[in-house]
Amino acid sequence: HEADIVAQAGLPGQITVATQMAGRGTDIKLAPVVEEAGGLHVILTEYHDASRIDRQLAGRCARQGDPGSFEVLVSGEDSLLEGKTFMGMRKLVLSVTFTPFSERLGLARLKWTQKQVERRHASIRRQLFQSDEKQDERLSFTGSG
């Protein structure tokens, strides 16, 4: 059912609100009038821990040579802009008058933050794998897993 809803996003006048997983693998065919108007317009409303997900969402707007556009509208209270992860940059981000330089600085800081979170998640996965390997070794009769 979800894929059917997402597939209709290419029809005139459609506004489709979806999660990052909605419609994965669904081909969105653009109606000719939508294509002439510039294609799909995707709006990112929150940054994700992994920049890969942000890029995938941006890629939803222009598939297979179709026209499209992408925009980021994020709250200053976005979880990546808060807390220790962003090193207190939220106040700076909210107080900066946006110029090309400050925008680049903010994007660089965001990419750095996403990279730190990705590294932390990779470390957790590595530790979990090592723990799993040790447990398998302890539970095996031969000691070879």
Side-chain angles (χ1 to χ4, degrees):
H1 180 66
E2 190 177 82
D4 294 336
I5 293 170
V6 172
Q8 293 177 20
L11 299 177
Q14 288 291 329
I15 296 175
T16 306
V17 178
T19 66
Q20 66 191 26
M21 293 301 292
R24 295 230 5 157
T26 303
D27 191 20
I28 300 172
K29 301 276 189 212
L30 298 183
V33 68
V34 172
E35 190 170 343
E36 290 171 19
L40 292 180
H41 183 72
V42 173
I43 301 172
L44 179 75
T45 58
E46 70 172 332
Y47 287 114
H48 298 86
D49 289 350
S51 59
R52 172 185 56 80
I53 295 171
D54 294 342
R55 289 190 307 273
Q56 285 175 345
L57 290 171
R60 292 294 294 179
C61 69
R63 294 273 187 193
Q64 303 170 353
D66 287 337
S69 55
F70 178 73
E71 181 176 13
V72 177
L73 296 174
V74 180
S75 166
E77 296 174 355
D78 185 280
S79 61
L80 275 183
L81 302 179
E82 290 186 323
K84 295 177 184 176
T85 307
F86 209 64
M87 296 180 62
M89 290 299 294
R90 180 172 174 244
K91 288 179 185 166
L92 174 66
V93 169
L94 293 177
S95 66
V96 167
T97 302
F98 284 98
T99 64
F101 174 74
S102 67
E103 192 171 324
R104 284 194 308 271
L105 176 65
L107 286 175
R109 200 59 152 164
L110 172 70
K111 288 178 188 218
W112 180 86
T113 300
Q114 285 177 319
K115 197 55 112 176
Q116 296 304 313
V117 173
E118 289 170 6
R119 284 186 183 131
R120 187 171 60 234
H121 289 175
S123 175
I124 291 168
R125 285 191 304 274
R126 205 170 21 260
Q127 289 171 2
L128 183 60
F129 177 76
Q130 290 168 349
S131 174
D132 212 26
E133 288 286 306
K134 285 180 184 177
Q135 186 171 2
D136 283 349
E137 189 176 311
R138 288 182 193 128
L139 294 176
S140 71
F141 289 107
T142 63
S144 62

